[in-house]
Amino acid sequence: MPKDSPVDPRGPRFSAWMTTVILAIVLLTGWWRLLAAQTVLFAMCAFISLKLNPWGHVYRYAIQPRLTPTSEREEAAPLRFAQGVGFVFALIGTLGYATGLTTLGMVATGMALVAALLNAALGLCLGCEMYLVLRRYVPAFARPQ
């Protein structure tokens, strides 16, 4: 995985708000193609780079200049892991909706929605917390020396 530079934590929270809106629309409408697009976005951010997130660009160019500067930064690895977790739930949701297993699609999308909303509203990134626990207890997640 390529290394992304640390990020302003307000950017991922803005992205989480946008993801919350997208996932809520999917739950309300069953529009699985929108969920498929979100799945691709999760995959790009998790497996290539966080810099591919269009909501990050909106934040950096339209919102961040209007905010008070901050020196606070978050490491990218937990955020990318969280995007990978979002990818898994969105993929399951997309497959559920697309194959007629609507309940599976709704449950997976609902779980992703709860995680995105917790991050957006409270700053609690469940995927990031999972990453930190795994890094602590699973040798494969330990930082290279």
Side-chain angles (χ1 to χ4, degrees):
M1 233 189 257
K3 183 163 172 54
D4 285 316
S5 57
V7 299
D8 177 345
R10 299 172 297 183
R13 283 188 77 177
F14 173 75
S15 293
W17 275 117
M18 300 310 295
T19 301
T20 297
V21 170
I22 290 167
L23 296 173
I25 291 170
V26 171
L27 276 177
L28 291 171
T29 65
W31 191 14
W32 68 267
R33 286 172 180 84
L34 179 60
L35 184 57
Q38 180 63 51
T39 303
V40 170
L41 179 57
F42 278 138
M44 291 183 336
C45 293
F47 306 121
I48 302 171
S49 174
L50 292 172
K51 293 177 182 169
L52 296 175
N53 188 336
W55 305 123
H57 291 284
V58 171
Y59 172 77
R60 273 190 300 283
Y61 297 111
I63 298 170
Q64 189 178 32
R66 292 170 173 76
L67 300 175
T68 304
T70 182
S71 60
E72 186 180 353
R73 295 288 180 258
E74 287 183 353
E75 288 299 319
L79 297 170
R80 290 186 62 178
F81 182 83
Q83 294 292 302
V85 173
F87 166 75
V88 170
F89 281 99
L91 180 62
I92 292 168
T94 300
L95 293 173
Y97 279 114
T99 61
L101 299 171
T102 307
T103 302
L104 176 63
M106 291 175 73
V107 169
T109 304
M111 293 175 80
L113 174 62
V114 167
L117 184 58
L118 283 172
N119 189 3
L122 303 176
L124 176 61
C125 175
L126 295 178
C128 299
E129 296 300 323
M130 282 176 49
Y131 174 86
L132 295 174
V133 168
L134 286 171
R135 194 176 78 191
R136 182 176 222 171
Y137 296 109
V138 179
F141 278 86
R143 284 187 179 161
Q145 300 294 332

